[in-house]
Amino acid sequence: MKKYQNYIGGKYVDPVKAQWMDTVDPYTGQAWAQIPRSDAADVDLAVTAASRALKEGPWAKMTATERGKIMLRLSDLVVKNADRLAEIEVRDNGKLIAEMRGQVNYHAEWWRYFGGLCDKVEGRVMPIDKPDIFAFTRQEPVGVVGALTAWNSPLLFVAWKCAAAIAAGCTLVVKPSEFASASTLEYADLTREAGFPDGVFNVVTGLGQEAGSALVDHPGVAKITFTGSDTTGARIYAQAAKTMKRVSLELGGKSPNIVFDDADLDQAASGVISGIFAATGQTCIAGSRLLVQNSIKDKFTERVRALGASARKGNPMKADTNIGPVTTPAQYKKILDYIDIAKSEGARCILGGGPATGPELTGGQFVEPTIFVDVTPQMRIAREEVFGPVLSILGFEDEADAIRMANDTIYGLAAGVWTTNMGRAMRMSQALKAGTVWVNTYRAVSFMMPFGGMKHSGIGRESGLAAIDEYLETKATWISYSTGGPANPFILR
Ligand code: NAD
C-alpha cells in the first residue's frame, strides 16, 4: 500500500508526529493508500516555507512574465499526466473515470489562462486632485494563501484556487479533503518539475479539525480560500476573523432546474438528469429541485423518471458506468437518512428510494437514483442540501410562481432554466438569485467564466478575470514633488 508524504518547501517529508491515516477506495470499500495525518506542527512548517518563498526566495524577485511561463509549463505537465491523475482521483472519490479524465485535462486550461494573465495585472495612475503629486496604485499579492478543498473534484479545485493565487504572486499551502488527498500530493511533484521554486506550492494532508483548523488559525496565512459545506464555511469565516484573514468561500446549494412548457423537453430531461445524477449527485451545483410547469408536470416527470431509471450503476473505472458509489460512509448514511426524512414528511418516491445492490456493487456504498414527487416547498428535502442522487419535483403555475419558488432558499449557487422563449430566458436569468444561471444547458463551467455563490452559497468568485483580484491587495502610493516648503502639519492634506 502506497504511503504518501506531505510536500513542504519543495520536498516530500514525513509528518512531524509520524502519523498516517487510510484513504479508502469508495468502490471496493478497501484502503488503498495512506496519507499523513498532519497537525499544527506540519502546518507551521508549510506556512514557514511558503512565507520564506514569498519574501526571500527566487519567487519574490521573479517577474510576472517569468511566473506565467512556469504556469504554462505546469499546464502542459498536467495534460501529460492527466490519465494517471484521473485514475488516482477515481480511486479516492469514486467519481467516473470518464468525467475525471475530462476534468483533469480541462484543469490545465486554468493554468494556461491565469499564466497568460500574470503580466496583465496593472495598477492605475490617478489624475489626482492635488498639486505636485504623482499618485498611483500597485497590485500586490495578498500573501500566503491557505487553500482548503472538498473531496468531489480535488484537482479541479486546486486549479481554480491556485492558478489565480499563483498568477497574483502568492504562495500556497493546500490542505485537501482527508477523503481525497492523494491526487493533490502526486500533483505537487509536477509543480516542482514545472519549475515552481521551493515553498511556493505546499501540500499538507489530514483532518479538517486538525490540519485544516490549524491552517485557518495560523497568523502567517493572509487569506483562506475554501470549498466545502456551508456549515464548515461559516465556522471558518468566524475563525478566520480572529486573525483578520481575507476569506473566499465556495459552498453548497439547493439549485433549481426550472422547466417551462415551451421547452425542448428531451433536451430539458437530459439536463435535469445531468444536474442531479451525474457524479452521483455529489456536486455543489446539483440541480436537486426540479420546478416544472404544472401544464406539463405529469408527462415531463415520466420522461425524467424513465431516463433516470436507465442509468447504469457500477465500477467508476469503467467507461460506460453512469453512476458510481457515494464517496464516504458518512455521506452514504446522510443520503439514506434524507430519503427516509422525505418519505416520513409525505413525499412520494417514484424512482429508487434506498441503497442499490447488485453483483457489481458489492464493496461500495451505492444509492439508487431517487426521485420524489408530491414535494412541498416546506419539506426538508426541498430545502436542505443532500449531496446525493436525490431529486425533488415541485410544480409551478407561471413565471412569477417559478421565480418565487426558485429564490425561496438560503442558497444561491446555480439555477437552470429550460425555455424556447428568449424574453422569458432574459427575465428569468435576471430575476434568479444565483451566481450562475444556465439557460437550456446545465453543469457547464469554464476558466473564463466567474463562478461562485450568492447568499449561503459563498463569498467571492473563482475563474474569470476578476478571480485574480481575490488574491491581490491594492496599494495606494503618493509621491510629492512639491517645492513649496512644508505644508500645515495640523490639517488633512
Ligand atoms: P467539508 O466542509 O466537510 O470539507 C471541506 C474541506 O474543509 C476539507 O478539506 C476538510 O478537511 C476541511 N475542513 C473540515 N472542517 C474544517 C475545520 N473545522 N477547519 C478547517 N478546515 C476544515 O466539505 P466536503 O464534505 O469535503 O464537501 C462537500 C461540500 O462541499 C458540499 O456542501 C458541496 O456543496 C460543497 N462544494 C462546493 C463547491 C463550490 O464550488 N461551491 C464545490 C464542491 C463542493
PDB file of all heavy atoms in Angstrom, residues 17 24 27 63 65 118 267 364 385 405 425 459 486 490:
ATOM      1  N   LYS A  17       4.611  14.096  13.586  1.00  0.00           N
ATOM      2  CA  LYS A  17       4.291  13.077  14.599  1.00  0.00           C
ATOM      3  C   LYS A  17       4.283  11.677  14.014  1.00  0.00           C
ATOM      4  O   LYS A  17       3.870  10.724  14.693  1.00  0.00           O
ATOM      5  CB  LYS A  17       2.925  13.387  15.212  1.00  0.00           C
ATOM      6  CG  LYS A  17       2.936  14.616  16.093  1.00  0.00           C
ATOM      7  CD  LYS A  17       1.935  14.500  17.237  1.00  0.00           C
ATOM      8  CE  LYS A  17       1.993  15.726  18.110  1.00  0.00           C
ATOM      9  NZ  LYS A  17       0.833  16.595  17.948  1.00  0.00           N
ATOM     10  N   VAL A  24      -9.485   5.447   1.464  1.00  0.00           N
ATOM     11  CA  VAL A  24     -10.277   4.276   1.071  1.00  0.00           C
ATOM     12  C   VAL A  24     -10.844   4.458  -0.334  1.00  0.00           C
ATOM     13  O   VAL A  24     -11.307   5.540  -0.697  1.00  0.00           O
ATOM     14  CB  VAL A  24     -11.433   4.082   2.099  1.00  0.00           C
ATOM     15  CG1 VAL A  24     -12.396   2.991   1.657  1.00  0.00           C
ATOM     16  CG2 VAL A  24     -10.862   3.781   3.475  1.00  0.00           C
ATOM     17  N   TYR A  27     -15.248   2.456  -4.153  1.00  0.00           N
ATOM     18  CA  TYR A  27     -15.870   1.369  -4.914  1.00  0.00           C
ATOM     19  C   TYR A  27     -15.649   0.017  -4.244  1.00  0.00           C
ATOM     20  O   TYR A  27     -16.562  -0.794  -4.149  1.00  0.00           O
ATOM     21  CB  TYR A  27     -15.337   1.348  -6.351  1.00  0.00           C
ATOM     22  CG  TYR A  27     -15.942   0.216  -7.156  1.00  0.00           C
ATOM     23  CD1 TYR A  27     -17.330   0.154  -7.355  1.00  0.00           C
ATOM     24  CD2 TYR A  27     -15.153  -0.798  -7.684  1.00  0.00           C
ATOM     25  CE1 TYR A  27     -17.904  -0.894  -8.054  1.00  0.00           C
ATOM     26  CE2 TYR A  27     -15.718  -1.839  -8.390  1.00  0.00           C
ATOM     27  CZ  TYR A  27     -17.098  -1.895  -8.573  1.00  0.00           C
ATOM     28  OH  TYR A  27     -17.658  -2.927  -9.266  1.00  0.00           O
ATOM     29  N   THR A  63       9.912  38.044 -12.347  1.00  0.00           N
ATOM     30  CA  THR A  63       8.937  38.929 -12.995  1.00  0.00           C
ATOM     31  C   THR A  63       7.637  38.149 -13.214  1.00  0.00           C
ATOM     32  O   THR A  63       7.625  36.913 -13.253  1.00  0.00           O
ATOM     33  CB  THR A  63       9.430  39.411 -14.366  1.00  0.00           C
ATOM     34  OG1 THR A  63       9.562  38.271 -15.221  1.00  0.00           O
ATOM     35  CG2 THR A  63      10.751  40.155 -14.256  1.00  0.00           C
ATOM     36  N   THR A  65       6.079  37.896 -15.915  1.00  0.00           N
ATOM     37  CA  THR A  65       6.187  37.161 -17.183  1.00  0.00           C
ATOM     38  C   THR A  65       6.844  35.806 -16.957  1.00  0.00           C
ATOM     39  O   THR A  65       6.386  34.779 -17.477  1.00  0.00           O
ATOM     40  CB  THR A  65       7.002  37.997 -18.196  1.00  0.00           C
ATOM     41  OG1 THR A  65       6.418  39.294 -18.263  1.00  0.00           O
ATOM     42  CG2 THR A  65       6.995  37.360 -19.573  1.00  0.00           C
ATOM     43  N   CYS A 118      -0.953  36.622 -15.791  1.00  0.00           N
ATOM     44  CA  CYS A 118       0.076  37.055 -14.832  1.00  0.00           C
ATOM     45  C   CYS A 118       0.601  38.479 -15.081  1.00  0.00           C
ATOM     46  O   CYS A 118       0.634  39.306 -14.179  1.00  0.00           O
ATOM     47  CB  CYS A 118       1.275  36.136 -14.983  1.00  0.00           C
ATOM     48  SG  CYS A 118       1.495  34.993 -13.700  1.00  0.00           S
ATOM     49  N   GLN A 267     -34.322  17.795 -24.469  1.00  0.00           N
ATOM     50  CA  GLN A 267     -33.114  18.489 -24.022  1.00  0.00           C
ATOM     51  C   GLN A 267     -33.213  18.773 -22.509  1.00  0.00           C
ATOM     52  O   GLN A 267     -32.257  18.567 -21.760  1.00  0.00           O
ATOM     53  CB  GLN A 267     -33.044  19.805 -24.782  1.00  0.00           C
ATOM     54  CG  GLN A 267     -31.665  20.301 -25.050  1.00  0.00           C
ATOM     55  CD  GLN A 267     -31.717  21.691 -25.691  1.00  0.00           C
ATOM     56  OE1 GLN A 267     -32.422  22.577 -25.217  1.00  0.00           O
ATOM     57  NE2 GLN A 267     -30.978  21.854 -26.766  1.00  0.00           N
ATOM     58  N   GLY A 364     -18.940  -1.251  -2.528  1.00  0.00           N
ATOM     59  CA  GLY A 364     -19.105   0.195  -2.364  1.00  0.00           C
ATOM     60  C   GLY A 364     -20.419   0.600  -1.730  1.00  0.00           C
ATOM     61  O   GLY A 364     -21.271  -0.226  -1.404  1.00  0.00           O
ATOM     62  N   GLU A 385     -29.433  20.729   1.498  1.00  0.00           N
ATOM     63  CA  GLU A 385     -28.540  20.078   0.531  1.00  0.00           C
ATOM     64  C   GLU A 385     -28.334  18.619   0.925  1.00  0.00           C
ATOM     65  O   GLU A 385     -27.919  18.323   2.041  1.00  0.00           O
ATOM     66  CB  GLU A 385     -27.180  20.792   0.490  1.00  0.00           C
ATOM     67  CG  GLU A 385     -26.264  20.218  -0.568  1.00  0.00           C
ATOM     68  CD  GLU A 385     -24.864  20.818  -0.553  1.00  0.00           C
ATOM     69  OE1 GLU A 385     -24.278  20.950   0.534  1.00  0.00           O
ATOM     70  OE2 GLU A 385     -24.352  21.148  -1.645  1.00  0.00           O
ATOM     71  N   MET A 405     -40.587  30.516  -6.084  1.00  0.00           N
ATOM     72  CA  MET A 405     -40.181  29.213  -5.528  1.00  0.00           C
ATOM     73  C   MET A 405     -38.665  29.001  -5.670  1.00  0.00           C
ATOM     74  O   MET A 405     -38.007  28.504  -4.760  1.00  0.00           O
ATOM     75  CB  MET A 405     -40.924  28.078  -6.252  1.00  0.00           C
ATOM     76  CG  MET A 405     -42.382  28.004  -5.857  1.00  0.00           C
ATOM     77  SD  MET A 405     -43.297  26.853  -6.909  1.00  0.00           S
ATOM     78  CE  MET A 405     -42.726  25.292  -6.304  1.00  0.00           C
ATOM     79  N   ALA A 425     -36.260  33.803 -21.048  1.00  0.00           N
ATOM     80  CA  ALA A 425     -34.888  33.441 -20.643  1.00  0.00           C
ATOM     81  C   ALA A 425     -34.200  34.656 -20.032  1.00  0.00           C
ATOM     82  O   ALA A 425     -33.541  34.562 -18.983  1.00  0.00           O
ATOM     83  CB  ALA A 425     -34.100  32.931 -21.850  1.00  0.00           C
ATOM     84  N   ILE A 459     -18.891  33.337  -0.743  1.00  0.00           N
ATOM     85  CA  ILE A 459     -18.369  34.705  -0.851  1.00  0.00           C
ATOM     86  C   ILE A 459     -17.214  34.668  -1.841  1.00  0.00           C
ATOM     87  O   ILE A 459     -16.310  33.845  -1.709  1.00  0.00           O
ATOM     88  CB  ILE A 459     -17.850  35.182   0.521  1.00  0.00           C
ATOM     89  CG1 ILE A 459     -19.007  35.275   1.514  1.00  0.00           C
ATOM     90  CG2 ILE A 459     -17.133  36.521   0.407  1.00  0.00           C
ATOM     91  CD1 ILE A 459     -18.571  35.551   2.928  1.00  0.00           C
ATOM     92  N   PRO A 486       7.247  73.137   3.574  1.00  0.00           N
ATOM     93  CA  PRO A 486       6.399  72.224   4.357  1.00  0.00           C
ATOM     94  C   PRO A 486       4.945  72.690   4.394  1.00  0.00           C
ATOM     95  O   PRO A 486       4.674  73.889   4.438  1.00  0.00           O
ATOM     96  CB  PRO A 486       7.018  72.258   5.762  1.00  0.00           C
ATOM     97  CG  PRO A 486       8.022  73.351   5.765  1.00  0.00           C
ATOM     98  CD  PRO A 486       8.269  73.806   4.364  1.00  0.00           C
ATOM     99  N   PHE A 490      -1.151  70.304  10.716  1.00  0.00           N
ATOM    100  CA  PHE A 490      -2.318  70.043  11.568  1.00  0.00           C
ATOM    101  C   PHE A 490      -3.614  69.852  10.791  1.00  0.00           C
ATOM    102  O   PHE A 490      -4.681  69.764  11.391  1.00  0.00           O
ATOM    103  CB  PHE A 490      -2.450  71.167  12.600  1.00  0.00           C
ATOM    104  CG  PHE A 490      -1.209  71.297  13.426  1.00  0.00           C
ATOM    105  CD1 PHE A 490      -0.337  72.346  13.249  1.00  0.00           C
ATOM    106  CD2 PHE A 490      -0.876  70.291  14.349  1.00  0.00           C
ATOM    107  CE1 PHE A 490       0.829  72.438  13.988  1.00  0.00           C
ATOM    108  CE2 PHE A 490       0.289  70.383  15.091  1.00  0.00           C
ATOM    109  CZ  PHE A 490       1.154  71.456  14.916  1.00  0.00           C
TER     110      PHE A 490
END
